[in-house]
Amino acid sequence: MVDAIPEMHMDQNELECFLVLAEELHFGRTASRLHLSRARVSQLIQKLERRVGAPLFTRTSRSVALTALGGRFLDDLEPHYRGIESALARAVASARGLAGILHVGFSTPLAGEMVMKAAEKLRASHPELSFEVCEVPFSDPYGMLRRGDFDLQLTDFPLHEDDLTHGPTLLAEERVLAVAAGHRLAGRDSVTLEDLAEVSLLTIEGDIPEYWQEHRLPTRTPSGRAISPGPSVTNFQEALTLVAAGNGALLAGAHVTLYHGRPGISYVPVEGDQPLGYRLMWRSGGGSRAIELFGRTACEVARDMAPADPRRALPG
């Protein structure tokens, strides 16, 4: 008499239950993870064992363990089952416009922290979406976004470009004036925009719109007094080196007091200045489901982040 051949059709619920129980080795925890009753977990495992024709687990009142057959079945099943899950997730992501790599730029360490936290949060819920993160060049604030090197960027720059779009302000911070520790303004409780007439502000080489220059590197105080231009720089580290050497001053976001505290530089809060607002930017007409999702996640991250207090600036 020929033994009956086990039914080859496998129920997804049985397979998922087997994999979770093989990991937990506990019926209660398995039931909790799957939002099932313990009786339903036992029922699914028993049905699967009947299909196989032999026990996959040994059970006692105190423990659960895989049988030798159960261990081999786990080794054979798991990579294929996870592969099916991944394939389904990729298909769903493609249908929703989420698959692939999202290239994100950031302008400052504070923006970089926000971008990384948003990316980590999204990876947990959308593992099919990958990220490449890179700093926006100091001397070319919009070039990489325009060329498609970035899909979007999080920056504190103002934006008046017809081909670029920005979202709402996610986070705002006050500005500080970075001067050499021996400068007459160093160590003061605060300075005003009028005090900028007493320094030479570093300038930036590159493709910089005039309105951007005036925002970051004004040439006149509010009353019209001239602000002397200092040496030109191409990156932030070069700027800090010149400031520490007494060769110019720099306006920057208050976060530099936390990320760039260094000997030889004093950061002085600027009173009466408009805060820097951080926004996401992308090419006009180039939005996507992934960009929209990243924007919502960045909003959630920003709510949990507090900008630096410029009055806690470290003395030079």
Side-chain angles (χ1 to χ4, degrees):
M1 181 175 180
V2 179
D3 292 337
I5 298 175
E7 183 182 351
M8 288 298 103
H9 172 72
M10 292 293 181
D11 184 278
Q12 181 182 354
N13 293 328
E14 295 171 16
L15 298 180
E16 183 179 16
C17 189
F18 168 79
L19 290 171
V20 175
L21 183 58
E23 179 181 344
E24 294 289 350
L25 295 178
H26 190 281
F27 278 82
R29 289 194 296 268
T30 299
S32 178
R33 278 181 56 178
L34 296 176
H35 304 289
L36 300 173
S37 67
R38 294 184 61 158
R40 180 57 177 161
V41 170
S42 295
Q43 183 185 45
L44 289 170
I45 294 301
Q46 288 168 6
K47 286 180 64 177
L48 180 59
E49 289 177 328
R50 285 197 297 270
R51 291 182 193 279
V52 172
L56 299 173
F57 295 93
T58 59
R59 310 155 174 85
T60 69
S61 60
R62 294 186 177 182
S63 66
V64 177
L66 282 163
T67 63
L69 177 61
R72 290 196 300 272
F73 183 54
L74 175 64
D75 292 340
D76 290 340
L77 171 66
E78 188 167 31
H80 298 289
Y81 187 86
R82 301 308 179 201
I84 292 172
E85 285 187 320
S86 297
L88 180 59
R90 287 193 296 269
V92 171
S94 295
R96 294 178 177 174
L98 291 180
I101 300 174
L102 194 64
H103 299 83
V104 188
F106 64 91
S107 62
T108 68
L110 178 61
E113 182 180 350
M114 293 171 66
V115 165
M116 293 305 298
K117 286 183 176 180
E120 290 170 5
K121 190 169 185 177
L122 271 177
R123 283 193 189 100
S125 58
H126 296 276
E128 71 281 0
L129 186 59
S130 300
F131 300 89
E132 287 190 2
V133 177
C134 183
E135 187 172 6
V136 176
F138 201 49
S139 57
D140 189 11
Y142 308 121
M144 293 186 72
L145 183 59
R146 281 198 170 102
R147 292 192 298 270
D149 296 322
F150 297 144
D151 296 304
L152 73 166
Q153 63 184 40
L154 178 60
T155 66
D156 58 319
F157 308 147
L159 183 65
H160 303 293
E161 307 290 318
D162 292 338
D163 60 332
L164 301 177
T165 300
H166 70 75
T169 299
L170 301 180
L171 188 69
E173 65 171 343
E174 303 297 328
R175 286 204 287 187
V176 296
L177 180 67
V179 295
H183 193 277
R184 58 182 173 273
L185 297 179
R188 287 177 50 169
D189 290 338
S190 65
V191 295
T192 69
L193 293 176
E194 289 298 325
D195 291 320
L196 298 182
E198 300 182 35
V199 301
S200 295
L201 281 183
L202 298 177
T203 56
I204 300 175
E205 292 182 357
D207 185 16
I208 310 295
E210 184 176 345
Y211 69 85
W212 191 97
Q213 287 269 22
E214 191 60 29
H215 169 74
R216 293 293 294 266
L217 309 164
T219 57
R220 292 191 175 277
T221 69
S223 68
R225 299 165 65 197
I227 302 173
S228 301
S232 295
V233 297
T234 59
N235 61 71
F236 195 72
Q237 291 301 325
E238 180 184 3
L240 292 181
T241 299
L242 289 176
V243 170
N247 293 329
L250 181 70
L251 282 171
H255 72 275
V256 300
T257 64
L258 301 178
Y259 292 93
H260 292 290
R262 56 186 290 178
I265 296 181
S266 178
Y267 295 111
V268 188
V270 180
E271 295 288 350
D273 190 18
Q274 289 189 347
L276 296 176
Y278 285 83
R279 302 176 179 89
L280 283 170
M281 302 176 185
W282 59 91
R283 293 180 297 282
S284 298
S288 68
R289 177 77 176 95
I291 288 177
E292 178 186 346
L293 186 61
F294 190 92
R296 288 206 303 266
T297 306
C299 285
E300 296 171 3
V301 168
R303 284 196 291 267
D304 296 330
M305 293 182 65
D309 181 355
R311 296 192 177 280
R312 296 178 61 191
L314 300 174

